[in-house]
Amino acid sequence: MGFFVNVKVNVKVNVNESLVAGGGLRATRNAIFATVLALGWIGAAQAQTITSLELGTNNYSSVTNGAATFTFKDANIASLPSLTLTTAQHGQQGGAGYVSSKGWPTSSSVDTNAYFQFTVTANSGYQLNITNISIRGHRSNTGPTNLVCRSDNDSYASNIGGGVKSVPTSSGTISFASLGISNKSTVTFRFYGYQSGSATGTFRFGDNGSVLEIDVQGTVSAVATGPTISGFSPSSGAVGTIIVTGK
């Protein structure tokens, strides 16, 4: 995650007589304050898996609504996300290592009533920066040929992560990169499948193996707060040295 360093600050600035006469002492103090605040942030971590779903080899033959609970989360994510599916896509039985869906629209454009989704929520005092999402799955010959990703960041108005993705007919990875989700306490992603060959065409997650079905990449970092200035010494007076203290 991004991190801060808690350091004690003791800045000495020599102030000459012309600064004092022209009101520059106050301006100098303001400049010191801004500079010390800027010292607070010193680095950011690389993106990594912050939550994921792995169906493994479990049997999901009793699951007909395409739902599954994620299996991993970062310590600073509030709870394991849940994969859910719009009702019209229910009714397709899962199996060993996969959940499935059907009833995807045959239209050549997105139907905003046909999607699967999940929500990621950070713990209090933390924020999400999500860069990439990878999905492991495939379609039947008459399943949805196209898949797009949208988020509640703009009320699901636009495609993100590289636009329209083709859905393979054998198990493969569909990647949505450069998502640009930053400084969010919670975010919901929806994935819209469309241009299916028929209403009975299917889309399924899982390959009965150990590959992640959904891999959400990014960072979970503490909400940024700058250093605290505890005081100036002297607070007023003649030409001399200003000492800024704090941490």
Side-chain angles (χ1 to χ4, degrees):
M1 67 178 72
F3 59 94
F4 292 85
V5 172
N6 188 11
V7 294
K8 290 186 179 295
V9 179
N10 193 321
V11 181
K12 292 186 177 182
V13 180
N14 290 322
V15 181
N16 63 36
E17 202 166 326
S18 62
L19 280 176
V20 176
L25 183 57
R26 180 178 298 171
T28 301
R29 289 188 182 122
N30 290 340
I32 295 168
F33 182 79
T35 301
V36 174
L37 286 181
L39 293 174
W41 175 254
I42 67 167
Q46 296 296 313
Q48 60 186 359
T49 298
I50 60 171
T51 188
S52 60
L53 168 63
E54 182 183 342
L55 297 174
T57 58
N58 298 320
N59 193 323
Y60 295 90
S61 59
S62 63
V63 177
T64 59
N65 63 358
T69 300
F70 279 48
T71 51
F72 167 79
K73 71 177 184 69
D74 183 274
N76 291 311
I77 288 179
S79 60
L80 290 169
S82 295
L83 175 69
T84 59
L85 190 68
T86 43
T87 305
Q89 281 61 61
H90 291 184
Q92 183 65 32
Q93 188 178 40
Y98 71 91
V99 292
S100 192
S101 57
K102 65 179 182 179
W104 295 97
T106 58
S107 60
S108 59
S109 59
V110 169
D111 180 343
T112 56
N113 295 309
Y115 57 84
F116 55 88
Q117 71 172 18
F118 59 84
T119 300
V120 184
T121 302
N123 286 338
S124 177
Y126 288 82
Q127 60 190 6
L128 303 165
N129 298 281
I130 298 176
T131 55
N132 306 287
I133 296 176
S134 296
I135 292 172
R136 185 81 174 176
H138 66 279
R139 64 179 177 89
S140 66
N141 288 333
T142 56
T145 58
N146 295 326
L147 191 69
V148 298
C149 175
R150 297 181 179 182
S151 82
D152 62 351
N153 201 38
D154 65 351
S155 300
Y156 313 105
S158 57
N159 300 338
I160 58 175
V164 181
K165 304 293 183 177
S166 297
V167 182
T169 54
S170 59
S171 189
T173 299
I174 306 168
S175 297
F176 297 91
S178 302
L179 294 172
I181 303 297
S182 59
N183 304 328
K184 301 284 287 184
S185 60
T186 185
V187 60
T188 298
F189 294 99
R190 288 181 179 175
F191 300 84
Y192 300 85
Y194 63 99
Q195 204 160 10
S196 185
S198 74
T200 58
T202 63
F203 175 86
R204 80 181 199 183
F205 286 97
D207 60 359
N208 197 26
S210 59
V211 178
L212 297 179
E213 274 64 60
I214 300 178
D215 183 12
V216 181
Q217 296 264 327
T219 61
V220 188
S221 58
V223 175
T225 55
T228 300
I229 304 300
S230 58
F232 292 95
S233 177
S235 59
S236 62
V239 177
T241 299
I242 301 173
I243 300 175
V244 183
T245 58
K247 63 180 181 178

